[in-house]
Amino acid sequence: PSIRRYREMLTSALVLMPSHCRYLELLLDQPDETALADVKNESWDIVTVETTDGCIQLLCLTASSGVPLFTRGASKQLPFSVIGSLNGVHMFGGGQGVLLSSCETEGGGKLVWRVFHDSVMLIAVSGGGSSGACSREEIRLQRLLENVWHCMVLVLGQDELVNLRNIERLKRDLRSCFCLIDQLLEEKQQGVLGNLTHCADSLLPPNPTLLQEAVDGFAQAADSEFGCLFVHGKIAAATEKWWRLAPQEVVLLSALVRTLSASGSASCDYPVFLPQGSPTVAHRLLRFQLLPGADVCVLCGPTPSLHRAESELVGQLWSPLVETLRSCLSVGERSLPGSVPLRPDVLALLLINRETRRSVSCVQLSSYHLLSDHSLSKSRCWELLKLFYIFSMSRYFTHEEMLCVSGEDGAQGGHTEDFLHGFSHQPQQCYLVTEECKSYGLQTPRHQLFLLMLPSVPTLALRTVATQTLSDIISATAF
């Protein structure tokens, strides 16, 4: 490839997208580094696309013809001409042997493209923000597109999405995915980070043995090896086979159960496809509400019927455990039993078990925090925790656990700290000091801990606080 090829391609793109853009990321199988650097240093006039309300807008089109299938997200949708231009420039690049992965606008906005199985194209458009946050935003958008695709497979199955026989029928069928997709976009439920981490959001109950035996017995009675108990939308107990599902499948099933639970129904029988384990053959997901905030579900075959499972199995196996369930519900958003002590200067934490791909997270706000000079709201703490996770995983910790995307997308490749390239090993700890809080990341062969603390904590004490917090949780819960 030569620089003239890049210039010709981008000049032609001006016809399709006549606005502004800071730079365009071009990823080639065998790129000419000198030519690519020259292109990135040029000031190209390509596109300005911003969402007016600061939300993420999701576009779904057919990959071959660019027919819009749906749009979700921002209240004011992009004009059809802009959607066509976004598809057109990606298609034009593909015809020239160039993959368009992402684009950054002058206002700090971000656009990310992704094509799945040469059938469906997803485009995420993020509103303007600070330019320094664009790399973090790209990571979130890449993960969002991956989650949305697997969400569509979970509900409709891969065959219907790959073999596009009737576009109008597919548009109607995709409406059944909207509630789940909107949950991924809005992230309204605080304390749910699985969409980002691809680890199952978990709650550690006070009486895990009793609940584990009940889940195993309920799944066996329902002729299934896949059973799970959800408390406040998080997994409190599950069968061994449930944990053997792909981590992303566990995350999406959890999101689906939260959506079904929010509908208010006491029970339901819902067909699901497992995006990695069974993308073409549906299973039945049976869900039952045991108490408000507590749901049990199983993945099974043709038997048992919903009526039999609800009338016979639920009451027989779960009625004796009502008080145990209530004690589990009392754990609440903390997700940790009362036996786990947390220092008063800890604002929030995210603990990941790297072997089981489970996570526990919580925000701790008390009168001690409210009286401090740097008081933060609960929602701001959750946001800072997510940002610190992305910061740590994209720059310091193990990369393969951050983005489960193909190497051609390589969204995180350019964000690693320069000094890391001179070492053969991975950092095991990192910290970040800001005006709002101090953050510390700790990685061991089995765990990753991300901790937010008050600015008043001495920087030299951050490591001690983090290691002690990790030790306290593990010794009390064996997580």
Side-chain angles (χ1 to χ4, degrees), residues 24 77 207 245 458:
L24 184 67
Q77 295 184 1
N207 301 301
L245 295 173

Side-chain angles (χ1 to χ4, degrees), residues 1 5 17 32 47 122 146 154 199 230 232 243 263 273 278 331 374 405:
R5 176 183 174 189
M17 309 176 69
D32 184 320
V47 63
L122 293 174
E146 186 183 2
L154 181 79
C199 297
F230 291 89
H232 296 305
W243 290 123
S263 67
F273 299 82
S278 180
V331 173
H374 299 80
V405 297

Side-chain angles (χ1 to χ4, degrees), residues 135-192:
S135 62
R136 297 191 296 269
E137 186 66 11
E138 181 178 346
I139 291 173
R140 299 176 75 163
L141 295 180
Q142 290 281 5
R143 175 131 296 181
L144 171 66
L145 296 187
E146 186 183 2
N147 287 336
V148 169
W149 165 255
H150 284 103
C151 163
M152 294 160 60
V153 175
L154 181 79
V155 177
L156 299 181
Q158 186 171 291
D159 283 346
E160 187 169 349
L161 296 170
V162 173
N163 304 314
L164 302 180
R165 302 179 184 89
N166 188 321
I167 300 298
E168 294 304 317
R169 177 184 173 184
L170 178 60
K171 288 181 180 180
R172 292 192 299 268
D173 292 343
L174 283 169
R175 294 173 186 170
S176 59
C177 305
F178 286 173
C179 288
L180 194 51
I181 291 175
D182 290 344
Q183 183 184 149
L184 297 175
L185 283 170
E186 296 170 1
E187 298 183 342
K188 285 185 176 180
Q189 184 168 350
Q190 296 179 350
V192 175

Side-chain angles (χ1 to χ4, degrees), residues 142 233 242-243 245 264 314 356 358 387 390 393 426 451 473:
Q142 290 281 5
W242 185 280
W243 290 123
L245 295 173
V314 173
T356 62
R358 298 174 61 191
L387 292 175
I390 296 174
M393 296 301 297
Q426 286 286 336
L451 207 60
I473 296 177

